[in-house]
């Protein structure tokens, strides 16, 4: 048991160090990623951890893709794309919370919640970072009026496609954990995709009013995405 825990600590630390080394996270963010990664791998095992790693890798690649172009538009991630502990918790805490319930219940519905929360975070990052580049004529989600790329709550067809693809990519990691593979695939993908649009809705309303910030918006959206994924799985199973 001690050997397994030591291995898990080493793997989680590798995630944190790698994120810091490749300038995806600052030092505080790397520590938070290590702690969160350890919680995920201890509570859920390999597949949710791999889903989180995939989210980190895709997020880094999407953030850096045509970064100068996004910076010229005033829509680039701050601090040259380097995120911190608040972003780590905003994107990963909801999944960790759902993992606690799954760990003690061993119910597939909570697996759906876990992966839908990660799918929301992944889909939102891809939609945000790549939608700024490929999205034409973005519109505010609340009233469909034209908006600048990077505006809170702005959506585009390209962004929606990236959101769906990002959610689907994470859903694949949930399939080995359930016998209800088709139901899980649908629940996680749709839960994540809807969660991304909830993020845009919160951004256009609460965040623009100063009630939430980017990190709390991400947390609320991933939490809601998880609940929706779980609800869809329960309804379809």
């Amino acid at each position: 048991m001690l050997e397994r825990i030591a291995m898990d600590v080493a793997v989680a630390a590798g995630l944190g160090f790698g994120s810091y080394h490749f300038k995806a996270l600052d030092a505080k963010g790397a520590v938070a990623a290590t702690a969160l990664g350890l919680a995920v791998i201890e509570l859920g095992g390999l597949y949710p951890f791999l889903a989180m790693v995939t989210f980190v890798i895709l997020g880094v690649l999407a953030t850096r893709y045509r970064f100068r172009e996004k910076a010229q538009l005033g829509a680039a991630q701050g601090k040259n794309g380097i995120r911190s502990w608040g972003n780590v918790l905003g994107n990963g805490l909801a999944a960790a919370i759902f993992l606690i319930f799954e760990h003690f219940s061993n119910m597939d519905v909570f697996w759906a919640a876990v992966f839908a929360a990660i799918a929301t975070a992944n889909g939102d990052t891809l939609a945000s970072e790549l939608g700024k580049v490929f999205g034409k004529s973005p519109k505010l989600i609340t009233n469909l009026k034209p908006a600048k790329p990077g505006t809170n709550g702005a959506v585009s067809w390209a962004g929606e496609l990236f959101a769906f693809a990002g959610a689907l990519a994470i859903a694949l990691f949930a399939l080995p954990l359930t016998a209800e593979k088709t139901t899980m695939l649908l629940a996680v993908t749709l839960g994540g995709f809807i969660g991304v649009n909830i993020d845009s809705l919160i951004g256009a309303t609460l965040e623009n009013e100063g009630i939430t910030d980017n990190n709390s918006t991400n947390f609320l959206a991933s939490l809601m995405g998880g609940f929706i994924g779980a609800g869809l799985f329960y309804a379809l199973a």
Side-chain angles (χ1 to χ4, degrees), residues 94-150:
I97 292 171
F98 289 126
L99 268 174
I100 294 172
F101 287 96
E102 191 288 322
H103 183 75
F104 290 105
S105 69
N106 292 313
M107 294 174 64
D108 280 1
V109 67
F110 288 115
W111 279 131
V114 169
F115 286 95
I118 302 172
T120 298
N122 192 53
D124 176 60
T125 300
L126 297 188
S128 176
E129 294 295 339
L130 298 179
K132 294 169 185 174
V133 176
F134 295 102
K136 305 300 180 184
S137 304
K139 294 178 174 57
L140 203 62
I141 193 171
T142 50
N143 55 25
L144 299 182
K145 291 183 178 179
K148 284 184 175 182

Coordinates of all heavy atoms in Angstrom, one line a residue, residues 94-150:
A94 N -14.5 20.7 -8.8 CA -15.8 20.1 -8.9 C -15.7 18.6 -9.2 O -16.3 17.7 -8.6 CB -16.6 20.7 -10.0
A95 N -14.7 18.2 -10.0 CA -14.5 16.8 -10.3 C -14.0 16.1 -9.1 O -14.4 14.9 -8.8 CB -13.5 16.7 -11.5
A96 N -13.2 16.7 -8.3 CA -12.7 16.1 -7.1 C -13.8 15.8 -6.1 O -13.9 14.8 -5.4 CB -11.6 16.9 -6.4
I97 N -14.7 16.8 -6.0 CA -15.9 16.6 -5.1 C -16.7 15.5 -5.6 O -17.2 14.6 -4.7 CB -16.7 17.9 -5.1 CG1 -15.9 19.1 -4.4 CG2 -18.1 17.7 -4.4 CD1 -16.6 20.4 -4.5
F98 N -17.0 15.4 -6.8 CA -17.8 14.2 -7.3 C -17.1 12.9 -7.1 O -17.7 11.9 -6.9 CB -18.1 14.4 -8.8 CG -19.1 15.5 -9.1 CD1 -18.8 16.5 -10.0 CD2 -20.4 15.5 -8.5 CE1 -19.8 17.5 -10.3 CE2 -21.3 16.5 -8.7 CZ -21.0 17.5 -9.6
L99 N -15.8 12.9 -7.2 CA -15.0 11.7 -7.0 C -15.2 11.2 -5.6 O -15.1 10.0 -5.3 CB -13.5 11.9 -7.3 CG -13.0 11.7 -8.7 CD1 -11.6 12.1 -8.9 CD2 -13.2 10.2 -9.0
I100 N -15.3 12.1 -4.6 CA -15.5 11.6 -3.2 C -16.8 10.8 -3.1 O -16.8 9.7 -2.5 CB -15.6 12.8 -2.3 CG1 -14.2 13.5 -2.2 CG2 -16.0 12.4 -0.9 CD1 -14.2 14.8 -1.5
F101 N -17.9 11.3 -3.8 CA -19.1 10.6 -3.7 C -19.0 9.3 -4.5 O -19.6 8.2 -4.0 CB -20.2 11.5 -4.4 CG -20.7 12.6 -3.5 CD1 -20.1 13.9 -3.7 CD2 -21.6 12.4 -2.5 CE1 -20.5 14.9 -2.9 CE2 -22.0 13.4 -1.7 CZ -21.5 14.7 -1.9
E102 N -18.3 9.2 -5.6 CA -18.2 8.0 -6.3 C -17.3 7.0 -5.5 O -17.7 5.8 -5.5 CB -17.5 8.3 -7.7 CG -17.5 7.1 -8.6 CD -16.6 5.9 -8.2 OE1 -15.5 6.2 -7.7 OE2 -17.0 4.8 -8.4
H103 N -16.3 7.5 -4.9 CA -15.4 6.6 -4.1 C -16.2 5.8 -3.0 O -15.9 4.6 -2.8 CB -14.3 7.4 -3.5 CG -13.3 6.6 -2.7 ND1 -12.3 5.9 -3.3 CD2 -13.1 6.5 -1.4 CE1 -11.6 5.3 -2.4 NE2 -12.0 5.6 -1.2
F104 N -17.1 6.5 -2.4 CA -17.8 5.8 -1.3 C -19.1 5.2 -1.7 O -19.7 4.4 -1.0 CB -18.2 6.9 -0.2 CG -16.9 7.3 0.6 CD1 -16.4 8.5 0.4 CD2 -16.3 6.4 1.5 CE1 -15.2 8.9 1.0 CE2 -15.2 6.8 2.2 CZ -14.6 8.1 2.0
S105 N -19.6 5.4 -2.9 CA -20.9 4.8 -3.4 C -20.7 3.8 -4.5 O -21.5 2.9 -4.6 CB -21.8 5.9 -3.9 OG -21.3 6.5 -5.2
N106 N -19.6 3.9 -5.2 CA -19.3 3.0 -6.4 C -20.5 3.0 -7.4 O -20.9 1.9 -7.9 CB -19.0 1.6 -5.9 CG -17.7 1.5 -5.2 OD1 -16.7 2.0 -5.6 ND2 -17.7 0.8 -4.0
M107 N -21.0 4.2 -7.6 CA -22.2 4.3 -8.5 C -21.8 5.0 -9.8 O -21.1 6.0 -9.8 CB -23.3 5.1 -7.9 CG -23.9 4.4 -6.7 SD -25.1 5.5 -5.8 CE -26.4 5.6 -7.1
D108 N -22.2 4.4 -11.0 CA -21.8 4.9 -12.3 C -22.3 6.4 -12.5 O -21.7 7.1 -13.2 CB -22.4 4.1 -13.4 CG -21.5 2.8 -13.6 OD1 -20.5 2.6 -12.9 OD2 -21.9 2.0 -14.5
V109 N -23.4 6.7 -11.8 CA -23.9 8.1 -12.0 C -22.9 9.1 -11.5 O -22.8 10.2 -12.1 CB -25.3 8.2 -11.2 CG1 -25.1 8.2 -9.7 CG2 -26.0 9.5 -11.7
F110 N -22.1 8.8 -10.5 CA -21.1 9.7 -10.1 C -19.9 9.8 -11.0 O -19.2 10.8 -11.1 CB -20.7 9.5 -8.6 CG -21.8 9.8 -7.6 CD1 -22.4 8.9 -6.9 CD2 -22.2 11.2 -7.5 CE1 -23.4 9.2 -6.0 CE2 -23.2 11.5 -6.6 CZ -23.8 10.5 -5.8
W111 N -19.6 8.6 -11.7 CA -18.6 8.7 -12.7 C -19.0 9.6 -13.8 O -18.2 10.4 -14.3 CB -18.4 7.3 -13.3 CG -17.5 6.3 -12.6 CD1 -17.7 5.0 -12.2 CD2 -16.2 6.6 -12.1 NE1 -16.7 4.5 -11.6 CE2 -15.7 5.4 -11.4 CE3 -15.3 7.7 -12.1 CZ2 -14.5 5.3 -10.8 CZ3 -14.1 7.7 -11.5 CH2 -13.7 6.5 -10.9
A112 N -20.3 9.6 -14.2 CA -20.8 10.5 -15.2 C -20.6 12.0 -14.7 O -20.2 12.8 -15.5 CB -22.2 10.3 -15.5
A113 N -20.8 12.2 -13.4 CA -20.6 13.6 -12.9 C -19.2 14.0 -12.9 O -18.8 15.1 -13.3 CB -21.1 13.7 -11.5
V114 N -18.3 13.1 -12.5 CA -16.8 13.4 -12.5 C -16.3 13.8 -13.9 O -15.7 14.8 -14.1 CB -16.0 12.1 -12.0 CG1 -14.5 12.3 -12.3 CG2 -16.3 11.9 -10.6
F115 N -16.6 12.9 -14.9 CA -16.1 13.1 -16.2 C -16.8 14.3 -16.9 O -16.2 15.0 -17.7 CB -16.1 11.9 -17.0 CG -15.1 10.9 -16.6 CD1 -15.4 9.9 -15.7 CD2 -13.8 11.0 -17.1 CE1 -14.4 8.9 -15.3 CE2 -12.8 10.1 -16.7 CZ -13.1 9.0 -15.8
A116 N -18.1 14.5 -16.6 CA -18.8 15.7 -17.2 C -18.2 17.0 -16.7 O -18.1 18.0 -17.4 CB -20.3 15.6 -16.9
A117 N -17.8 17.0 -15.4 CA -17.1 18.2 -14.9 C -15.8 18.5 -15.6 O -15.5 19.6 -15.9 CB -16.9 18.0 -13.4
I118 N -15.0 17.4 -15.8 CA -13.8 17.6 -16.5 C -14.0 18.0 -18.0 O -13.3 18.8 -18.5 CB -12.9 16.3 -16.4 CG1 -12.6 15.9 -15.0 CG2 -11.6 16.5 -17.2 CD1 -12.0 14.6 -14.8
A119 N -15.0 17.3 -18.6 CA -15.4 17.6 -19.9 C -15.8 19.1 -20.1 O -15.5 19.7 -21.1 CB -16.5 16.7 -20.4
T120 N -16.5 19.6 -19.1 CA -16.9 21.1 -19.1 C -15.6 21.9 -19.1 O -15.5 22.9 -20.0 CB -17.7 21.4 -17.9 OG1 -18.9 20.7 -17.9 CG2 -18.1 22.9 -17.9
A121 N -14.7 21.6 -18.3 CA -13.4 22.4 -18.2 C -12.6 22.3 -19.5 O -12.2 23.3 -20.0 CB -12.6 21.9 -17.0
N122 N -12.5 21.1 -20.0 CA -11.8 20.9 -21.3 C -12.5 21.6 -22.5 O -11.8 22.3 -23.2 CB -11.6 19.4 -21.6 CG -10.6 19.2 -22.7 OD1 -9.5 19.6 -22.6 ND2 -11.0 18.4 -23.7
G123 N -13.8 21.4 -22.6 CA -14.5 22.0 -23.7 C -14.5 23.5 -23.6 O -14.3 24.2 -24.6
D124 N -14.6 24.1 -22.4 CA -14.6 25.5 -22.2 C -13.2 26.1 -22.6 O -13.1 27.1 -23.3 CB -14.9 25.9 -20.8 CG -14.8 27.4 -20.5 OD1 -15.5 28.1 -21.2 OD2 -14.0 27.8 -19.7
T125 N -12.1 25.4 -22.2 CA -10.8 25.9 -22.6 C -10.6 25.9 -24.1 O -10.1 26.9 -24.7 CB -9.7 25.1 -21.9 OG1 -9.9 25.2 -20.4 CG2 -8.3 25.6 -22.2
L126 N -10.9 24.8 -24.7 CA -10.8 24.7 -26.2 C -11.6 25.8 -26.9 O -11.2 26.4 -27.8 CB -11.1 23.3 -26.7 CG -10.2 22.2 -26.1 CD1 -10.5 20.9 -26.9 CD2 -8.7 22.6 -26.3
A127 N -12.9 25.9 -26.4 CA -13.8 26.8 -27.1 C -13.3 28.2 -26.9 O -13.4 29.0 -27.9 CB -15.2 26.7 -26.5
S128 N -12.8 28.6 -25.7 CA -12.3 29.9 -25.5 C -11.1 30.2 -26.2 O -11.0 31.3 -27.0 CB -12.1 30.1 -24.0 OG -11.6 31.4 -23.7
E129 N -10.1 29.4 -26.1 CA -8.8 29.7 -26.7 C -8.8 29.5 -28.3 O -8.2 30.3 -29.0 CB -7.7 28.7 -26.2 CG -7.4 29.0 -24.7 CD -6.9 30.3 -24.4 OE1 -6.3 31.0 -25.3 OE2 -7.0 30.8 -23.2
L130 N -9.5 28.5 -28.8 CA -9.5 28.3 -30.2 C -10.6 29.1 -30.9 O -10.5 29.5 -32.1 CB -9.6 26.8 -30.6 CG -8.4 26.0 -30.0 CD1 -8.6 24.5 -30.4 CD2 -7.1 26.5 -30.6
G131 N -11.7 29.3 -30.2 CA -12.8 30.1 -30.7 C -12.4 31.5 -31.0 O -12.9 32.2 -31.9
K132 N -11.4 32.0 -30.2 CA -10.9 33.4 -30.4 C -10.2 33.5 -31.8 O -10.2 34.6 -32.4 CB -10.0 33.8 -29.3 CG -10.6 33.9 -27.9 CD -9.5 34.1 -26.9 CE -10.1 34.1 -25.5 NZ -9.1 34.1 -24.4
V133 N -9.7 32.4 -32.2 CA -8.9 32.4 -33.5 C -9.8 32.1 -34.7 O -9.7 32.7 -35.7 CB -7.7 31.4 -33.4 CG1 -7.0 31.3 -34.7 CG2 -6.8 31.8 -32.3
F134 N -10.6 31.0 -34.5 CA -11.4 30.5 -35.7 C -12.8 31.0 -35.7 O -13.5 31.0 -36.7 CB -11.4 29.0 -35.6 CG -10.0 28.4 -35.9 CD1 -9.3 27.9 -34.8 CD2 -9.5 28.3 -37.1 CE1 -8.0 27.3 -35.0 CE2 -8.2 27.7 -37.3 CZ -7.5 27.2 -36.3
G135 N -13.3 31.5 -34.6 CA -14.7 32.0 -34.5 C -14.9 33.3 -35.3 O -14.2 34.2 -35.0
K136 N -15.8 33.3 -36.2 CA -16.2 34.5 -36.9 C -17.4 35.1 -36.4 O -18.4 34.4 -36.1 CB -16.3 34.1 -38.4 CG -15.1 33.4 -39.0 CD -13.8 34.3 -39.0 CE -12.7 33.6 -39.6 NZ -11.4 34.3 -39.4
S137 N -17.4 36.4 -36.2 CA -18.6 37.1 -35.8 C -19.2 36.6 -34.5 O -20.3 36.1 -34.4 CB -19.7 37.1 -36.9 OG -19.2 37.6 -38.1
P138 N -18.4 36.5 -33.4 CA -18.9 36.0 -32.1 C -20.1 36.9 -31.6 O -20.1 38.1 -31.9 CB -17.7 36.1 -31.2 CG -16.8 37.1 -31.8 CD -17.0 37.0 -33.3
K139 N -21.0 36.2 -30.9 CA -22.2 36.9 -30.4 C -22.3 36.6 -28.9 O -22.0 35.6 -28.4 CB -23.4 36.5 -31.2 CG -23.4 37.0 -32.6 CD -24.6 36.5 -33.4 CE -24.7 37.1 -34.8 NZ -23.5 36.8 -35.6
L140 N -22.9 37.6 -28.2 CA -23.1 37.4 -26.8 C -24.2 36.4 -26.6 O -25.3 36.5 -27.2 CB -23.5 38.7 -26.1 CG -23.3 38.9 -24.6 CD1 -21.8 38.7 -24.3 CD2 -23.8 40.2 -24.1
I141 N -24.1 35.4 -25.7 CA -25.0 34.3 -25.6 C -26.4 34.7 -25.1 O -27.4 34.1 -25.4 CB -24.4 33.2 -24.7 CG1 -25.2 31.9 -24.8 CG2 -24.3 33.7 -23.2 CD1 -24.6 30.7 -24.1
T142 N -26.4 35.8 -24.4 CA -27.7 36.3 -23.8 C -28.6 37.0 -24.8 O -29.8 36.9 -24.6 CB -27.4 37.2 -22.6 OG1 -26.5 38.2 -23.0 CG2 -26.8 36.4 -21.4
N143 N -28.1 37.7 -25.7 CA -28.9 38.5 -26.6 C -28.5 38.4 -28.1 O -29.1 39.0 -29.0 CB -29.0 39.9 -26.2 CG -27.6 40.5 -26.1 OD1 -26.6 40.1 -26.8 ND2 -27.4 41.6 -25.3
L144 N -27.4 37.6 -28.4 CA -27.0 37.3 -29.7 C -26.5 38.6 -30.4 O -26.4 38.7 -31.7 CB -28.0 36.6 -30.6 CG -28.5 35.2 -30.1 CD1 -29.5 34.6 -31.0 CD2 -27.3 34.3 -29.9
K145 N -26.2 39.6 -29.7 CA -25.6 40.8 -30.2 C -24.1 40.6 -30.5 O -23.4 39.9 -29.8 CB -25.8 42.0 -29.3 CG -27.2 42.5 -29.2 CD -27.3 43.7 -28.3 CE -28.8 44.2 -28.2 NZ -28.9 45.4 -27.3
P146 N -23.5 41.2 -31.6 CA -22.1 41.1 -31.9 C -21.2 41.4 -30.7 O -21.5 42.4 -29.9 CB -21.9 42.0 -33.0 CG -23.2 42.2 -33.7 CD -24.2 42.1 -32.6
A147 N -20.2 40.7 -30.5 CA -19.2 40.9 -29.4 C -17.8 40.7 -29.9 O -17.5 40.0 -30.8 CB -19.6 40.0 -28.2
K148 N -16.9 41.3 -29.2 CA -15.5 41.2 -29.5 C -15.0 39.8 -29.1 O -15.5 39.2 -28.1 CB -14.6 42.2 -28.7 CG -14.7 43.6 -29.2 CD -13.7 44.4 -28.4 CE -13.6 45.8 -28.9 NZ -12.6 46.6 -28.1
P149 N -14.0 39.2 -29.8 CA -13.5 37.9 -29.4 C -12.9 38.1 -28.0 O -12.2 39.0 -27.7 CB -12.3 37.7 -30.4 CG -12.8 38.4 -31.6 CD -13.5 39.7 -31.1
G150 N -13.2 37.1 -27.1 CA -12.7 37.1 -25.8 C -13.6 37.8 -24.8 O -13.3 37.7 -23.6

